């Protein structure tokens, strides 16, 4: 038995968490066996790592340290949560996955795709998402939404140039991959959710 692995991707403020919450309601209503998880975090160790990575006090963190911490959190999540759930035939919804590292660390930090792939390979093995929902929004809009929300974490405090690299990076990394569905994040919340649910029906039937 093998479950289905679904990933939500997009820049900060794109609405991934809102959409993930709505999708959870749908899966629950339809009595699907599912788990929802997030990156960085999702395990005891991963949540501790999240506390380090996103803490704005650690301004001295090197880009390489940052990349390794995301990969470490992910490796633990794969072993403890994602692989067991897929083996039990469950639907796994992850708010972010390795494409986030490809974009933020590989492109925006400039560490490169090869390095990021190599560092993440031992943790991920040959597990790949069956479907990636990429919610695309203009960078200014993402930042505007985030600023309204709450105190910004270490990555969200980065410059507008950084977020521009992230937005462009997403379009580059996720382009022309058959499992990726790009959705216009400026659409109304309910419309985005309708698109996601329609795709989920196809995937789970
Ligand atoms: P996220 O949990 O989406 O933020 P929030 O809970 O505030 O919506 O992600 C936290 C930050 O981590 C976000 O700025 C993106 C960044 N990130 C990376 O840089 N690389 C990664 O591999 C992942 C998973 C996230």
């Amino acid at each position: 038995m093998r479950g289905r692995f679904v990933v939500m991707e997009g820049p900060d403020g794109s609405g991934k968490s809102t959409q993930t919450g709505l999708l959870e309601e749908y899966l629950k209503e339809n009595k699907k066996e599912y788990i929802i998880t997030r990156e960085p975090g999702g395990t005891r160790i991963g949540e501790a790592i999240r506390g380090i990575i996103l803490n704005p006090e650690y301004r001295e963190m090197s880009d390489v340290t940052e990349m390794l911490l995301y990969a470490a959190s992910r490796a633990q999540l794969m072993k403890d949560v994602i692989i067991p759930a897929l083996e039990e035939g469950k639907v796994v919804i992850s708010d972010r996955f390795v494409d986030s590292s490809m974009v933020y660390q590989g492109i925006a930090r400039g560490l490169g795709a090869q390095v990021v792939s190599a560092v993440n390979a031992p943790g991920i093995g040959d597990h790949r998402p069956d479907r990636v929902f990429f919610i695309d929004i203009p960078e200014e809009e993402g930042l505007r939404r985030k600023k309204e929300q709450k105190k910004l974490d270490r990555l969200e405090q980065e410059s507008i140039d950084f977020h521009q690299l992230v937005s462009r990076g997403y379009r580059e990394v996720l382009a022309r991959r058959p499992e990726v569905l790009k959705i216009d994040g400026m659409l109304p919340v309910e419309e985005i959710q309708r698109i996601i649910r329609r795709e989920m029906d196809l995937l789970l039937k």
Side-chain angles (χ1 to χ4, degrees):
M1 211 169 34
R2 196 190 172 279
R4 286 282 178 268
F5 185 16
V6 176
V7 172
M8 302 293 216
E9 283 287 359
D12 294 285
S14 56
K16 292 183 307 304
S17 309
T18 306
Q19 295 298 335
T20 304
L22 293 169
L23 179 56
E24 174 164 23
E25 286 175 22
Y26 187 64
L27 294 171
K28 205 182 281 173
E29 281 162 20
N30 285 280
K31 311 241 176 329
K32 298 291 180 197
E33 293 253 38
Y34 70 90
I35 58 154
I36 303 256
T37 191
R38 70 164 180 185
E39 286 206 359
T43 63
R44 204 160 64 103
I45 294 170
E47 291 296 327
I49 294 174
R50 180 182 177 91
I52 299 172
I53 305 182
L54 299 182
N55 186 343
E57 280 176 28
Y58 294 134
R59 292 181 35 209
E60 73 275 30
M61 190 181 297
S62 82
D63 295 348
V64 175
T65 303
E66 182 184 283
M67 169 184 70
L68 294 171
L69 289 174
Y70 279 114
S73 169
R74 182 167 301 124
Q76 195 69 32
L77 184 69
M78 287 308 291
K79 173 180 167 290
D80 287 354
V81 179
I82 296 182
I83 293 173
L86 291 174
E87 283 174 354
E88 288 165 18
K90 292 182 179 157
V91 182
V92 175
I93 310 286
S94 185
D95 190 343
R96 298 189 178 281
F97 192 56
V98 67
D99 288 321
S100 284
S101 285
M102 294 303 257
V103 172
Y104 285 79
Q105 283 67 52
I107 293 181
R109 297 291 194 214
L111 294 173
Q114 275 185 333
V115 170
V116 174
S117 290
V119 160
N120 279 277
I124 297 176
D126 45 17
H127 297 275
R128 292 282 171 274
D130 296 295
R131 205 77 175 109
V132 177
F133 294 112
F134 164 33
I135 308 182
D136 189 23
I137 43 156
E139 47 270 30
E140 314 77 41
E141 174 65 11
L143 277 184
R144 194 188 60 70
R145 290 184 196 175
K146 272 284 162 192
K147 282 196 184 119
E148 276 177 6
Q149 263 176 29
K150 49 153 203 196
K151 280 214 322 250
L152 297 183
D153 68 38
R154 194 176 57 83
L155 273 92
E156 287 162 350
Q157 286 181 3
E158 280 291 337
S159 67
I160 182 88
D161 291 354
F162 180 80
H163 291 283
Q164 216 146 30
L165 284 173
V166 167
S167 290
R168 286 193 207 131
Y170 264 116
R171 290 174 201 135
E172 189 180 314
V173 164
L174 295 182
R176 292 179 300 278
R177 276 184 18 208
E179 81 282 17
V180 175
L181 180 69
K182 176 168 153 174
I183 305 175
D184 177 2
M186 299 303 281
L187 289 170
V189 171
E190 311 76 50
E191 179 56 26
I192 295 175
Q193 184 61 201
R194 245 196 310 277
I195 295 169
I196 292 175
R197 289 181 180 191
R198 197 176 57 213
E199 284 300 315
M200 289 302 290
D201 288 346
L202 292 174
L203 187 69
L204 301 181
K205 77 164 188 243

